[in-house]
Amino acid sequence: MSSVLQPAAADQDPPSAGPATAGKYRPVSSHLAIAPPVSVVIPAMNEAENLPYVFKTLPDWIHEVVLVDGNSTDRTVEVARELWPGVKVVEQRGRGKGDALITGFQACTGDIIVMVDADGSADGQEIVSYVCALVSGADFAKGSRFANGGGTDDMTLVRRLGNAALCTVVNRKFGARYTDLCYGYNAFWRHCLDKIDLDCTGFEVETLMNIRVVKAGLKVQEIPSHEYLRIHGTSNLRAVRDGLRVLGVILRERSNRRALRARTPAPVIGTVRGKVS
């Protein structure tokens, strides 16, 4: 797998033409091109009204868009195909955001996978920041609304306090240094899926991913991200209910870690714990 940043001179076009580079590099800007193909996964259920806002921010250099349709009853699939003719539509057979994401990940063919919500709250133009972090050495690029440069227009005080409390617990229990925990705008190398073994079907899948990348010792880099208000429709998030489900994931992962350590003899040479840089 190639992790290449290919600079271009300011007065030159990106290296997209010519027999030596055709099909190898994807121009990101007039100064940058990348080699790895990028797949964007969008789980959606009845988001036909929001998809135009989502797709118009997606950069044209991405390799593929995978839309996971959760049995929509509106024109979600038709609108997606109108907006992005080459979109890969995958039918979700189970239920829940976690199930949708896992289904989408399995359908991806790119070396880099980006997960984006379909409600219009994420800016697709930020994808370049995630990709740059990955090709520069990170395994997992994690969006953060509370890192310097990030922000949110869609978080109540209760959710903000809950997110901060849960984030603190994860940092202390797993040795992470996250500034944001419950946020679904992330990107990672495809090989990470083999190390985190996702088995969660609900909204709490985001927390599970954040915990397991640290437990796997993967290099994580936070990316400042701005979360906008959902444009149409209402969110399925429920602060107390979903907070308890996230807490359940944290406790289960902590319990599994203790059980593993009890079964496994301590190594002679200590391992390096996963950190967020």
Side-chain angles (χ1 to χ4, degrees):
M1 180 185 303
S2 177
S3 303
V4 180
L5 280 174
Q6 180 72 14
D11 58 349
Q12 294 179 348
D13 293 331
S16 56
T21 57
K24 180 178 180 182
Y25 294 111
R26 287 177 170 77
V28 174
S29 71
S30 60
H31 303 284
L32 177 68
I34 60 171
V38 178
S39 298
V40 175
V41 176
I42 306 175
M45 183 174 69
N46 296 329
E47 299 284 8
E49 290 185 289
N50 290 321
L51 288 184
Y53 300 92
V54 177
F55 278 84
K56 76 176 181 180
T57 68
L58 295 179
D60 56 8
W61 47 263
I62 59 178
H63 168 62
E64 67 180 354
V65 176
V66 177
L67 180 88
V68 184
D69 178 48
N71 300 305
S72 297
T73 56
D74 65 358
R75 297 187 66 251
T76 291
V77 174
E78 290 82 356
V79 170
R81 286 175 172 154
E82 292 168 3
L83 295 169
W84 200 280
V87 66
K88 180 185 293 186
V89 177
V90 181
E91 180 182 349
Q92 181 182 357
R93 300 191 180 278
R95 298 185 62 181
K97 185 174 184 179
D99 180 83
L101 286 172
I102 293 171
T103 300
F105 296 160
Q106 292 173 343
C108 290
T109 60
D111 292 335
I112 290 176
I113 299 175
V114 184
M115 41 196 280
V116 177
D117 287 339
D119 58 5
S121 62
D123 182 1
Q125 292 300 318
E126 293 180 357
I127 289 177
V128 64
S129 298
Y130 290 81
V131 171
C132 284
L134 295 174
V135 298
S136 296
D139 296 304
F140 190 89
K142 182 191 177 309
S144 173
R145 296 161 291 186
F146 304 114
N148 187 24
T152 177
D153 300 332
D154 189 25
M155 182 171 282
T156 63
L157 179 60
V158 172
R159 286 179 56 202
R160 187 183 294 267
L161 293 175
N163 184 55
L166 293 169
C167 189
T168 299
V169 173
V170 168
N171 287 344
R172 291 181 177 178
K173 297 298 184 182
F174 298 97
R177 293 189 299 190
Y178 292 137
T179 60
D180 196 355
L181 183 67
C182 305
Y183 190 43
Y185 198 173
N186 303 306
F188 51 91
W189 289 102
R190 185 182 182 86
H191 68 77
C192 293
L193 293 173
D194 297 329
K195 300 180 181 179
I196 60 178
D197 190 25
L198 296 177
D199 54 2
C200 176
T201 60
F203 159 81
E204 60 275 18
V205 67
E206 297 156 359
T207 297
L208 181 66
M209 294 179 72
N210 294 332
I211 292 175
R212 289 192 175 173
V213 294
V214 173
K215 290 171 66 176
L218 298 175
K219 184 177 180 181
V220 183
Q221 182 172 331
E222 284 196 330
I223 306 299
S225 177
H226 192 98
E227 177 187 39
Y228 296 91
L229 289 170
R230 165 182 275 274
I231 300 172
H232 295 286
T234 57
S235 173
N236 292 322
L237 294 178
R238 299 294 181 270
V240 176
R241 178 200 66 185
D242 294 329
L244 291 174
R245 292 176 67 173
V246 169
L247 180 59
V249 167
I250 296 172
L251 295 177
R252 185 178 73 244
E253 290 300 301
R254 179 62 177 171
S255 176
N256 291 344
R257 184 179 183 183
R258 286 178 175 174
L260 180 61
R261 292 176 64 180
R263 293 196 306 267
T264 307
V268 177
I269 301 178
T271 57
V272 179
R273 303 173 75 180
K275 295 182 179 179
V276 178
S277 56

